[in-house]
Amino acid sequence: MSWFEALVLGVIQGLTEFLPISSDGHLSIYQHFTGNYGESALIFTLMLHLGTLIAVLVVFRMQIFALFMEALQLIKDIFTGRFTFKNMEPTRRLLFMFIISTAVLIPFYIFKDFFESFSEDASIFVEGICFLYTA
């Protein structure tokens, strides 16, 4: 992979990560059309996502800490019988939104083996299905 391709992949990752579209899907499509797929492309994609994760953890560290503390308080409230849906604080409501928004990933976990078989192939069939599913 040339430095120009790495730069383009970094720009695609940076532009698409925080939009409600699949950054990984767009990286995969770009890699497919440039002929850059396989193990090295997978490792580079993982490094791009790791960089994004580190940036998110640094920038949102206070909010993440508040959500973590709220999750602990939620567990405590559930076990002590003080949990109600009516009077939730905004942080707890956000925590529930995160939980609900990740529930769409359950079918992908169930069919994980099927999708893993396509992870390093030269086809973009699975990416198309995933784009349709998340649309």
Side-chain angles (χ1 to χ4, degrees):
M1 171 183 316
S2 71
W3 67 270
F4 180 74
E5 288 176 335
L7 178 70
V8 171
L9 286 169
V11 168
I12 291 171
Q13 173 72 11
L15 291 175
T16 59
E17 184 62 40
F18 298 103
L19 296 174
I21 57 177
S22 172
S23 63
D24 194 42
H26 286 86
L27 288 173
S28 180
I29 288 174
Y30 177 80
Q31 290 170 344
H32 171 75
F33 286 119
T34 58
N36 185 14
Y37 46 84
E39 189 173 324
S40 65
L42 179 63
I43 291 171
F44 191 77
T45 300
L46 288 173
M47 292 298 112
L48 286 172
H49 285 302
L50 180 64
T52 302
L53 176 65
I54 291 169
V56 167
L57 290 175
V58 169
V59 172
F60 294 109
R61 66 188 175 279
M62 298 305 290
Q63 292 90 343
I64 293 169
F65 180 74
L67 285 170
F68 178 74
M69 295 307 290
E70 188 64 37
L72 294 176
Q73 185 65 37
L74 174 67
I75 292 169
K76 178 183 172 190
D77 287 351
I78 288 172
F79 284 112
T80 59
R82 292 187 290 163
F83 172 74
T84 63
F85 278 108
K86 284 187 177 183
N87 301 322
M88 283 198 289
E89 296 292 322
T91 307
R92 186 168 290 187
R93 194 175 311 265
L94 182 62
L95 185 63
F96 271 98
M97 286 187 232
F98 281 142
I99 293 168
I100 292 169
S101 67
T102 57
V104 298
L105 298 175
I106 292 171
F108 286 102
Y109 181 73
I110 293 170
F111 299 109
K112 181 177 76 166
D113 294 333
F114 171 73
F115 289 112
E116 282 179 351
S117 67
F118 292 102
S119 65
E120 292 186 20
D121 65 349
S123 172
I124 56 173
F125 177 73
V126 172
E127 287 87 343
I129 290 173
C130 293
F131 278 137
L132 290 173
Y133 181 74
T134 58

